[in-house]
Amino acid sequence: MGLVAPAGMISIGRCLLLWGASAIAAAAPRSRMENCPLQTAYINRVATAVPPHDVHDAFRRFGQSLLDGDRRNSRLFQRMADRSGIEHRYSCLAPSELSGDDRINAKGFYPRGDFPDTAARMRQFEQHAPALAQAAVERLQLGAECDRITHLLITSCTGFSAPGLDLELIERCGLPSTVERTAIGFMGCYAAINALKLARHIVRSEASARVLIVNLELCTLHLQDTTDLEQMLSFLLFGDGCAACIVSADPVGVALDRFHAVLVPSTRELITWNIGEAGFDMVLSGGVPAAIHDGLREHGNEILAGAPVASINLWAVHPGGRTVLDAVERALDLAPAALASSRDILRRYGNMSSATVMFVIDNLLRSGARGRTGCAMSFGPGLIAETLLFRTAA
């Protein structure tokens, strides 16, 4: 007489057999995939746009006027302005042309002693952001390629609304209604590197993907009515701008090879960006350049994956300010010419938060640099350095 197993044991046995078969079946594809090289993602091209109003001199004069009666801080502000390395910045707000005007801009958005609340600033963002984003995307000259865009990534830390900029661009630029949309919000100056990182993941998982990235910031909507010198840096440093780029598997432009993030310990309070009643309130401490210097000194070898600094031909460093670029140059022992593109963008546009590093990459591509290795990096709240190793196509 044969032995008969209890019903419960039969059920358990079947489950184990099914699980084992499933595990074997699942393991084989993973093993094969591990042996397959991952798809390389490329920035195929970059386009940039800024608003029509050059406001650097007007913002500088207005900031100086807020310190009337404080001779010491007034002289310090003047010295900081003279040494900023910035000659032009652009804003969606037209500057006032009136001598001695108590308003920084022509339509009185920033009247002395009565700066607008956050709601008013967001209304300005909703009014001006779509046209600037559209201008940058149109400069990509997508043409029939619009129909092939599969993903849209938007970065911004200076304005929010819903329905938002992503849906505006679909309508304005004729993008497919099926495009997959992702908003990367409130990350600050390093958001563009994170957007490129996400685009690379998308292309690696979908070889036919074509990702449109738009980095748009209207920083001049967040000036503060203050006499605190660290907060007044916004009167000297920040401007508006937008960058757009296409990332795909087409081997044209800039190959995205490796991303690496560095969190510098005990620096949490050096850069903060909070939503207040009177706009977004930024603290940019004077200790930022030293923290960046020390962080890059300690982690430079990790950022470059062990490659010598001399092997990097192109440097696309976010120009957070002249002293930030000076700190990077010292930390990595770079030649003065290494950060020429970053300093040029700072001089011509100031700091446009997340859009700025893409302006630098665009500048490098326009210089005709081909078949070279490069390193891009941006810095922001944390304090974190987001970095990218790249190659320009031959």
Side-chain angles (χ1 to χ4, degrees), residues 34 55 59-60 115 131 138 174 198 223 226 234 292 313 316 324 339:
E34 286 172 0
V55 296
F59 278 24
R60 175 176 168 170
F115 276 26
E138 287 180 346
L198 177 55
L223 298 182
T226 179
S234 60
I292 289 174
N313 309 122
V324 167
L339 301 184

Side-chain angles (χ1 to χ4, degrees), residues 262 294-307 309 331-332:
V262 172
D294 294 345
L296 293 182
R297 273 288 190 190
E298 182 176 355
H299 299 284
N301 189 59
E302 301 167 28
I303 291 170
L304 300 182
V309 171
L332 299 176

Side-chain angles (χ1 to χ4, degrees), residues 53-55 58-59 61 93-98 104-107:
H53 310 297
D54 188 342
V55 296
F59 278 24
R61 288 194 304 270
L93 305 170
S96 174
E97 302 293 340
L98 301 177
I104 193 171
N105 67 298
K107 294 186 178 180

